[in-house]
Amino acid sequence: MNRPDDCLFCGIVAGTIPSQTVDSDERTISFMDINPATRGHALVVPKRHSTDLMDVDDEDLAASIAAARRLARRMDEVLQPDGFNVLNACRPAGWQTVFHYHLHVIPRYEDDPLKLPWIPRGGDEDEIAAIAEKLRT
Ligand code: AMP
C-alpha cells in the first residue's frame, strides 16, 4: 500500500519523527510507546504501510509477531515482568487510534493497574453455536 504522507508510524519508520527504537529487522521496527500502559510498553510496526489487521501483508504479519516475541523475550530478561499481553487494535471500535498496523507488547506486573476489559460470564449457547455455524460456512 502507498504510504500516506500524514502517517505517524511511517514518519517513525522514515526517521523524520523521533522514537526510542529498540529493535529492527528487514520488515519491522519496534519502539517505545510514548503513553505506556505499563513499564516497558512498546510497539512493533511493519516498515511497509498498511492500515490495520485486515490489509497487512501476510509476510509483514508473520514478521510482526516474530518481532513481538523477540521483544517480549528481551523484556523478560531486562525488565523481569510477571507476564505479557500482545495486543492489536483494529479499527476505531477496536480501540485503534493510529492507522498503521501495529502490535502492542505490554509487559505485565502482578501489581500493575491493568484490568481485563470484559466480564467473563457464560454466553447464550444457541447464539454461540449459530455464530460458529456462520463462521464455518
Ligand atoms: P492504537 O491506539 O492501538 O492504534 O495504538 C497507538 C499507540 O501509539 C498508542 O498506544 C499511543 O500511545 C502510541 N503513540 C502515539 N504517538 C506515538 C509516538 N510518537 N511514539 C510512540 N508511540 C506513539
Side-chain angles (χ1 to χ4, degrees):
M1 176 181 282
N2 290 334
R3 175 192 154 187
D5 290 339
D6 59 351
C7 174
L8 175 65
F9 289 171
C10 285
I12 289 178
V13 169
T16 55
I17 293 172
S19 72
Q20 289 292 341
T21 300
V22 291
D23 182 85
S24 73
D25 62 24
E26 198 182 323
R27 287 183 174 271
T28 69
I29 72 163
S30 302
F31 52 89
M32 306 309 291
D33 195 302
I34 50 166
N35 304 301
T38 64
R39 194 169 66 91
H41 178 180
L43 302 172
V44 178
V45 172
K47 290 177 178 172
R48 182 163 32 172
H49 183 84
S50 59
T51 304
D52 61 28
L53 179 66
M54 295 299 147
D55 70 341
V56 62
D57 167 274
D58 282 351
E59 289 180 6
D60 284 345
L61 183 68
S64 67
I65 191 67
R69 186 171 71 163
R70 184 166 67 240
L71 186 55
R73 284 176 164 166
R74 180 77 182 132
M75 289 172 175
D76 212 20
E77 285 173 18
V78 173
L79 303 173
Q80 282 137 16
D82 300 306
F84 290 93
N85 290 118
V86 175
L87 174 82
N88 169 251
C90 181
R91 300 179 180 162
W95 301 334
Q96 187 174 9
T97 60
V98 176
F99 296 93
H100 178 132
Y101 165 80
H102 54 280
L103 292 176
H104 296 257
V105 181
I106 306 172
R108 298 298 309 277
Y109 306 91
E110 299 287 1
D111 60 353
D112 76 37
L114 303 194
K115 299 271 180 256
L116 194 67
W118 67 89
I119 302 165
R121 56 185 160 212
D124 179 325
E125 280 181 29
D126 291 341
E127 185 185 37
I128 292 169
I131 293 168
E133 182 58 21
K134 277 190 186 170
L135 291 172
R136 279 190 290 267
T137 52

